[in-house]
Amino acid sequence: TGYVVLETAALRSRPTMLSSSVGMLKYNERVAVVKKEGAFYEVKAGGKTGYLHQTALVSSAPGRAKGRTDARVESDEARAVLA
C-alpha cells in the first residue's frame, strides 16, 4: 500500500515520465503497490493499473499541514505563503 504525496500525479502507462497518462491520482489517494521497477512503482488505483514515480508515493498516509485542514499555498510576485 502507498499514498500519493503530490497534489496530482499522472498514472503512467509505462515506467517512464514520457509515457502516456492512463489517469490522474490526487493527494493522499491510496494505491496498491504491485512491484517496483527502477524509479517507478507499478500500482493499482481506481480500477486502473499504471506506474508512478517513486517520489510521488509514501508508505503511510501523509498528514495535513500541522494538523490544519485549510492548508493552501498562495503566492504573489515575490513570495509564497502557506496560509
Side-chain angles (χ1 to χ4, degrees), residues 11-68:
L11 187 61
R12 302 281 176 186
S13 60
R14 296 176 23 161
T16 70
M17 295 301 283
L18 299 176
S19 65
S20 61
S21 173
V22 296
M24 296 299 289
L25 302 175
K26 295 180 180 178
Y27 178 78
N28 208 19
E29 191 165 340
R30 185 178 173 177
V31 300
V33 176
V34 177
K35 66 180 178 179
K36 189 165 195 283
E37 192 169 323
F40 287 81
Y41 287 100
E42 182 179 351
V43 300
K44 292 183 179 183
K48 296 182 179 182
T49 299
Y51 294 87
L52 285 177
H53 192 268
Q54 63 189 4
T55 58
L57 288 178
V58 292
S59 59
S60 58
R64 298 201 183 265
K66 295 188 179 181
R68 294 173 55 183

